[in-house]
């Protein structure tokens, strides 16, 4: 399974509202699903908040 699909599934487990937006596995000849931008943004936000939480103790 491609890394982006794994990331989308991990985010969907952390944010249940996103479960319905996890795209199906992508074949090598298929372009990236347009919903992946949602998971890219969520990954960025989760990383930011985890970093802030770690800095504050």
């Amino acid at each position: 399974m491609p890394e982006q699909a794994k990331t989308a599934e991990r985010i969907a487990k952390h944010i249940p509202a996103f479960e319905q937006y996890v795209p199906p596995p992508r074949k090598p000849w298929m372009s990236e699903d347009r919903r992946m931008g949602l998971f890219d943004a969520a990954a960025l936000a989760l990383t930011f908040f985890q970093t802030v939480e770690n800095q504050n103790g």
Side-chain angles (χ1 to χ4, degrees):
M1 180 179 292
E3 187 62 32
Q4 284 186 322
K6 290 179 187 176
T7 302
E9 288 181 359
R10 283 187 231 131
I11 290 171
K13 287 181 182 177
H14 190 71
I15 306 172
F18 286 5
E19 287 179 356
Q20 63 184 341
Y21 300 110
V22 175
R26 184 170 72 99
K27 306 289 186 209
W29 59 86
M30 297 169 67
S31 60
E32 182 177 85
D33 192 286
R34 63 186 179 151
R35 293 173 283 190
M36 288 306 295
L38 173 69
F39 294 97
D40 291 340
L44 178 64
L46 290 171
T47 301
F48 171 77
F49 287 116
Q50 183 66 38
T51 303
V52 169
E53 185 177 292
N54 288 342
Q55 288 178 352
N56 291 335

